[in-house]
Amino acid sequence: MTRPTFTLRREWIHGWLLLTPALVLLFAFTHLPALSTIWDSFFSTPRGQRAARFVGLRNYETLLADDTFWQVLSNSLWYAAVTIPVSVGLALLMAIWVDGKLSGRSFVRLAYFAPTVLPLIAVANIWMFFYTPGFGLIDQIRGAFGLPEVNWLGNPDLALGSVMVVAIWKEAGFFMIFYLAALQAIPPQLREAAAIEGASRWTFFRRITFPLLMPTTLFVSVNAVINSFRMVDHVFVMTEGGPDNASSLLLFYIYETAFKFWDTAYASTLTVVLLVLLSALALGQFFLLDKRVHYR
Amino acid sequence: MTQTALDRWLNTTGAWVLALIWFLPLVYAVWTAVHPGEFATRFALFAPVTVENFVNAWNAAPFARYFLNSFLLVTFILIGQFVLCTLAAYAFARFTFPSSGVLLTLVLLQLLVMPDILIVENYATMRKLGLVDTIAAIGLPYIASGFGIFLLRQTFKSVPKELDEAARVEGAGPLTVLWRVYVPLAKPTYLAYGLVSVSHHWNNFLWPLIVTNSVETRPVTVGLSVFASVDQGIDWSIINAATLMTSGPLLIAFLLFQRQFVQSFMRAGIR
């Protein structure tokens, strides 16, 4: 009986050894930083000679009284609430279109997908030009209809919406790919059977396609949630969070707090909020949608 | 299931209108970049075509250096990811050892908590390691990729166990089996993951912006943002030329390998 135990032990050691390099980096740059973010949020920011000292919940009290934080949080939630359903919905529509018979299908597919491979920082430059008051393409088209100039990025009421449009444009094509893959995995026999039964296209979509796409919807929407809190590149280029923080998002505010105002402790506190928010949303989504997901 | 002519017409029109809207920003960028500045906001069918904007942009900032940096960065990340993720995925797919379930959960947690969010702590870590403003610092947080490990684990699990056992009977060690059996069979996954990873890191901006501050390390995305913001008297033609240059390598690769690119994203998505 010694031999099986010996090989088993050896297998354990091999397994752990293979994992070690990845785990070291994973802990160094994901798990430990996540934990020390929480730890640091209870301390003050070290400045010059003064080391960080324990301040308990002081940072969180500052947070509750920080008007900018509340505005940024509400911006982020609005941003998520609009960009996620719109880009996922558009992605599904796009996928259905390019999955079916369509003249010029390969161009259409290319057009939808192209924004995905471009750096957001680069396309934000192009969009900024579109939004330029007077000059920009949007105002030129409006001008042709006799409509007045609009300062899309400079108006506090419009800036966040303008930023959202760019995000949707960037994301929809990416999510489309996952839907397209799922659509192509649906057996054609189902469609034939439904045709024999005389089911309408809408009934087929509602009763068969859509339920079969639920696992993809779950996957895509969890990704969309994570991305909506992670993507801020276009904010850097187009508005820098302005005017008056009208288009600032949580991660952008964290960046400003840490690397412009060098208040790292407060930035950690903000990061904790972001982590809690992300976990809650992703988990909630998982449990909410999981019940309605019909796995194949 | 009958599709009327009207129905088909509506769908085709809808799909095309959306496609044109989606393509418009690119077309517009190309238009402004290849015409003299005064045509940036004025359409004239026979406006003179020029490459001057590209030349000006190229000379206005050290783009050659930025491209080299981006190239080194994505190469470093890709090699690191391939090696580390392969080893870890192999361990999860074919070895039984205590706490492997917990460890896998820890790996998958990274899909939710990406290094992009932990900028404050990761910057502090890089400072302690003395790595600030190096290409290694841009890449290190991304090398142990939870997505890569998961993707390769799924692929390795689909390899028939008999192949593995046959090789072992021949006296091959675990690493030899990995290299001779698993890696060759997972080639499509490596291609798919490689494309996703390269495009992601070529395009990444926030973390490189934070951790670099010199021309010698900045990737093209950060270089472009420095270029576009320093230039106060905004010349859109030059900025658009620079923008296209930055996206150029990926865009050309995408146009050439469109089918493979899309399919690899799809394959990556299925699992």
Side-chain angles (χ1 to χ4, degrees), chain A residues 11 26 29 31 36-37 40 97 103 112-113 117 119 122 129-130 135 140 169 177-178 199 201 230 233 278, chain B residues 1 7 11 15-16 22 28 41 96 106 111 116-117 121 126 144 203 205-206 236 243 250 254 261 266 269:
Chain A
E11 183 149 318
L26 205 63
F29 297 109
H31 297 303
S36 56
T37 297
D40 281 359
W97 274 337
S103 31
Y112 292 159
F113 190 65
V117 285
F129 181 45
F130 279 17
F135 271 104
Q140 286 203 24
W169 175 77
I177 296 296
F178 299 104
R201 265 160 58 84
R230 197 169 62 95
D233 301 3
L278 265 181
Chain B
M1 288 302 288
D7 196 19
N11 273 312
W16 269 88
W22 243 242
Y28 204 58
T41 54
T96 42
L106 284 177
L111 298 176
D116 301 14
I117 291 162
E121 294 297 331
M126 290 305 171
N203 295 343
F205 172 70
L206 180 61
W236 286 110
T243 299
L250 276 185
F254 172 58
F261 216 93
M266 277 164 51

Side-chain angles (χ1 to χ4, degrees), chain A residues 11-12 14-16 18-19 21-23 25-27 29-31 33-34 36-37 40 90 94 97 102-104 106-108 110-119 121-122 125-130 132 135 137 140 168-169 172 174 177-178 181 184 191 194-195 199-201 204 226 230 233 236 251 254-255 258-259 264 267-268 271 274-275 278-279 282, chain B residues 1-3 7 11-12 14-16 18-19 22-26 28-29 32 40-41 84 87-88 90-92 94-99 103 106-107 109-114 116-123 125-126 140-141 143-144 149 174-175 200 203 205-206 209-210 221 224-225 228 236 239-240 243 247 250-251 254-255 258 261-262 265-266 269-270:
Chain A
E11 183 149 318
W12 293 6
H14 281 161
W16 281 325
L18 288 166
L19 270 183
L23 284 182
L25 285 186
L26 205 63
F27 273 91
F29 297 109
T30 302
H31 297 303
S36 56
T37 297
D40 281 359
L90 271 179
M94 288 170 166
W97 274 337
L102 187 77
S103 31
S106 53
F107 167 76
V108 173
L110 178 121
Y112 292 159
F113 190 65
T116 301
V117 285
L118 300 173
I121 192 86
N125 272 329
I126 303 172
W127 276 91
M128 190 149 87
F129 181 45
F130 279 17
T132 314
F135 271 104
L137 185 68
Q140 286 203 24
I168 291 166
W169 175 77
F174 180 57
I177 296 296
F178 299 104
Q184 294 186 345
R191 197 173 284 272
S200 75
R201 265 160 58 84
F204 182 75
I226 295 167
R230 197 169 62 95
D233 301 3
F236 274 82
L251 187 55
I254 292 171
Y255 162 80
F259 299 98
T264 50
S268 296
T271 310
L274 183 52
L275 289 175
L278 265 181
S279 330
Chain B
M1 288 302 288
T2 46
Q3 201 176 5
D7 196 19
N11 273 312
T12 309
W16 269 88
L18 198 65
W22 243 242
F23 218 51
L24 187 67
L26 255 182
Y28 204 58
T32 42
T41 54
L84 261 66
L87 295 178
Y90 185 44
F92 282 127
R94 281 295 141 88
F95 288 81
T96 42
F97 50 92
S99 62
L103 294 176
L106 284 177
V107 167
L109 257 180
Q110 205 216 21
L111 298 176
L112 183 66
V113 183
M114 305 201 69
D116 301 14
I117 291 162
L118 302 165
I119 45 178
V120 183
E121 294 297 331
N122 279 341
Y123 184 77
T125 310
M126 290 305 171
L140 274 177
I143 283 183
I149 295 174
L175 285 179
H200 183 94
N203 295 343
F205 172 70
L206 180 61
L209 171 77
I210 290 165
T221 46
L224 178 70
S225 79
W236 286 110
I239 288 185
N240 274 342
T243 299
S247 342
L250 276 185
L251 203 60
F254 172 58
L255 290 173
Q258 201 221 133
F261 216 93
V262 171
F265 265 97
M266 277 164 51
I270 294 168

Side-chain angles (χ1 to χ4, degrees), chain A residues 129 135 140, chain B residues 28 30-50 53 235-237 240:
Chain A
F129 181 45
F135 271 104
Q140 286 203 24
Chain B
Y28 204 58
V30 173
W31 166 270
T32 42
V34 300
H35 292 101
E38 63 262 34
F39 291 99
T41 54
R42 199 155 58 80
F43 293 102
L45 197 56
F46 296 106
V49 174
T50 174
N53 296 315
D235 184 338
W236 286 110
S237 311
N240 274 342

Side-chain angles (χ1 to χ4, degrees), chain B residues 168-250:
Chain B
R168 298 228 173 185
V169 170
E170 301 277 319
L175 285 179
T176 318
V177 176
L178 174 62
W179 183 245
R180 288 279 157 80
V181 178
Y182 287 88
V183 172
L185 287 173
K187 258 185 200 151
T189 308
Y190 282 106
L191 179 71
Y193 178 57
L195 287 171
V196 176
S197 166
V198 165
S199 77
H200 183 94
H201 291 287
W202 185 277
N203 295 343
N204 203 7
F205 172 70
L206 180 61
W207 174 243
L209 171 77
I210 290 165
V211 87
T212 64
N213 44 39
S214 66
V215 168
E216 282 71 36
T217 48
R218 252 178 226 146
V220 280
T221 46
V222 181
L224 178 70
S225 79
V226 172
F227 174 75
S229 61
V230 163
D231 203 39
Q232 286 302 323
I234 299 172
D235 184 338
W236 286 110
S237 311
I238 294 183
I239 288 185
N240 274 342
T243 299
L244 285 178
M245 282 190 328
T246 311
S247 342
L250 276 185

